[in-house]
Amino acid sequence: MYLYNSATRKKEEFQTHTPGHVEMYTCGPTVYHFAHIGNLRSYIMEDVLEKFLRYEGYSVNRVMNITDVGHLTSDADEGEDKMVKGAKRENKTVMDIAKFYTDAFFADCSKLNIKTPEVVQPATGLIAEFITTVQGLLEKGFAYEAGGNVYFDTSKLKSYHVFHNHDEEDLAVGVREGVEEDSNKRNKNDFVLWFTKSKFEDQALKWDSPWGVGYPGWHIECSCISMKYNGEYLDLHCGGVDNAFPHHTNEIAQSEAYLGHAWCKQWFHVAHLNTNSGKMSKSKGEFLTVSLLEEKGYDPIVYRFFCLQSHYRKGLVFSWENLDNATVAFNKLLSRIAALNPEGEVDSAVLAEYESKFKEQMGNDLNTSMGVTALYDALKAKANDATKLAILDSYDRVLSLSLLDKAAKIRAEQKKAQANQSAGGYTVTGEGDAEIDALVLARGEAKKAKNFAEADRIRDELKAKGIEVTDVPGGASWKRV
Ligand code: AMP
Ligand code: ZN
């Protein structure tokens, strides 16, 4: 498999320290607010990457942090702690906020078929390890104390900037929000490993340390969590492109300084989800969530499908119109799958041929848009329906669009409607969404039973979901408006 490596800025053959096994690390969410669908684009693409590695036959140990302390409003160690800001906004404790938004994050992931990593470690659970690593860096001469804080000394490194290939906007993240330079720093790029003093006093979570009561910097969290659960040699590190600098650059600096050898060879960065007004970000306050998509009547899996249609290294523009187009395409795809007859014997030679084709397509730098195209190719395979379904099922182990489950539901609904119709009953036609079909059918039944209040209530519920129902002879049809 070939994967673009942002550390070398080349597409390279994927390699691991232990043959057949991948140690993988993903930067997790900062849990001071809901994840927006931009964050979730990164997690979707990382999920597909992990599943594709497994499809290729690797075993994978995937580790992710939960940032529940130390991530300041500017990624360059200045400003207010994001968690404290979230707690103030909602009049709750930091730990309440962390628990609430961690649960919300995994609920969103589950709606998007994103698998939970093998290890999920909240930063607040590993403070002793952070302290040991900071102590080690001080002993090795890579860190210094100044003004109550411990800083990493970037001048001690042979090279610091590893990721040069970011545009101005990405690099600006490190110094955004008009904050002043920290005068304790010996070098411009030095960063905080441990805080005991900062510009704000009301940091809620603090721990005792050899340098006084304080809390860890954000970057040290990821290095330590990875070293603990992935070991000294990491094969693959992932995150959104805004994490490349300063966060990943600092992770490399401190991990390699501490370990005394190269740490992670391959870096996978997902480009941003943008709207017409620029990058979607939590700090801007206006952002789209999975719940909002649901409230507007979209199936969250359609958002996953939308993300898969484009390459992870290209910026993706979100608009409702784009999501509508994805909905139509996805529903058409499901209808075609639903029309396949699952009975019959699978031709294993054809299945194997299609699986190896898929590996080749996706193995070219995780080309998910080719992966989506492969679904349509499978529908055109010279094989019986059972084989086509087996190919689609196989691809869906990586793409995770619940294709066969959703198609089976449509098939069952269609069967029910046919039986209903032949019994002189009520037929629902729509855009291939079993849940909506069921509501429209319930409305028809309520009308038949002259329960008009219930029929109106269901019509309103459908309207709130953006569904328009039209009565037609023998039933009703619906569409999204
Ligand atoms: P955060 O919760 O802010 O720490 O970010 C969680 C993940 O989402 C990180 O890997 C970020 O790089 C990534 N991310 C943030 N904004 C976007 C965006 N607009 N599009 C894609 N990924 C993003
Ligand atoms: Zn990280």
Side-chain angles (χ1 to χ4, degrees), residues 381-421:
K382 286 198 177 63
N384 65 1
D385 285 2
T387 307
K388 289 179 187 175
L389 283 166
I391 300 170
L392 292 163
D393 199 22
S394 170
Y395 293 177
D396 213 26
R397 274 165 38 210
V398 178
L399 304 178
S400 288
L401 296 165
S402 303
L403 295 173
L404 267 59
D405 279 357
K406 287 181 184 289
K409 268 191 201 139
I410 295 175
R411 217 175 280 129
E413 281 302 319
Q414 284 169 343
K415 253 195 197 147
K416 221 165 72 189
Q418 271 163 12
N420 209 10
Q421 197 176 24

Side-chain angles (χ1 to χ4, degrees), residues 260-274:
H261 59 69
W263 176 50
C264 178
K265 281 193 196 149
Q266 277 148 129
W267 290 80
F268 175 89
H269 286 121
V270 181
H272 283 147
L273 181 80
N274 299 307

Side-chain angles (χ1 to χ4, degrees), residues 112-181:
L112 293 164
N113 286 351
I114 297 171
K115 171 186 162 291
T116 303
E118 278 53 51
V119 179
V120 175
Q121 176 65 62
T124 48
L126 224 58
I127 301 295
E129 271 86 349
F130 303 161
I131 291 175
T132 307
T133 308
V134 175
Q135 255 167 334
L137 288 168
L138 277 162
E139 281 159 23
K140 287 170 203 260
F142 283 101
Y144 58 91
E145 282 186 74
N149 296 334
V150 183
Y151 292 85
F152 186 91
D153 187 348
T154 50
S155 70
K156 295 279 157 56
L157 298 171
K158 280 197 201 100
S159 70
Y160 172 65
H161 281 287
V162 177
F163 305 105
H164 295 282
N165 58 334
H166 304 296
D167 58 28
E168 293 287 313
E169 195 204 337
D170 291 326
L171 288 171
V173 169
V175 286
R176 67 190 170 196
E177 297 176 19
V179 287
E180 312 136 36
E181 273 294 308

Side-chain angles (χ1 to χ4, degrees), residues 271-285:
H272 283 147
L273 181 80
N274 299 307
T275 58
N276 290 338
S277 52
K279 180 199 157 197
M280 193 173 290
S281 87
K282 285 188 221 179
S283 52
K284 278 191 199 160

Side-chain angles (χ1 to χ4, degrees), residues 159-227:
S159 70
Y160 172 65
H161 281 287
V162 177
F163 305 105
H164 295 282
N165 58 334
H166 304 296
D167 58 28
E168 293 287 313
E169 195 204 337
D170 291 326
L171 288 171
V173 169
V175 286
R176 67 190 170 196
E177 297 176 19
V179 287
E180 312 136 36
E181 273 294 308
D182 177 347
S183 58
N184 293 319
K185 289 185 186 182
R186 291 184 190 160
N187 312 288
K188 187 173 167 284
N189 287 318
D190 290 357
F191 54 92
V192 178
L193 298 166
W194 186 268
F195 287 97
T196 69
K197 296 247 169 1
S198 65
K199 291 200 188 111
F200 56 100
E201 260 96 64
D202 48 358
Q203 165 67 22
L205 296 174
K206 291 182 189 174
W207 295 265
D208 207 3
S209 84
W211 318 285
V213 175
Y215 58 97
W218 170 39
H219 315 299
I220 198 75
E221 296 176 7
C222 285
S223 287
C224 289
I225 291 171
S226 178
M227 285 192 266

Side-chain angles (χ1 to χ4, degrees), residues 25-28 65 67 218-219 221-223 237-238 243 247-248 251:
Y25 185 84
T26 308
C27 287
N65 65 303
T67 300
W218 170 39
H219 315 299
E221 296 176 7
C222 285
S223 287
H237 196 309
C238 310
N243 280 166
H247 183 50
H248 291 161
E251 276 189 47

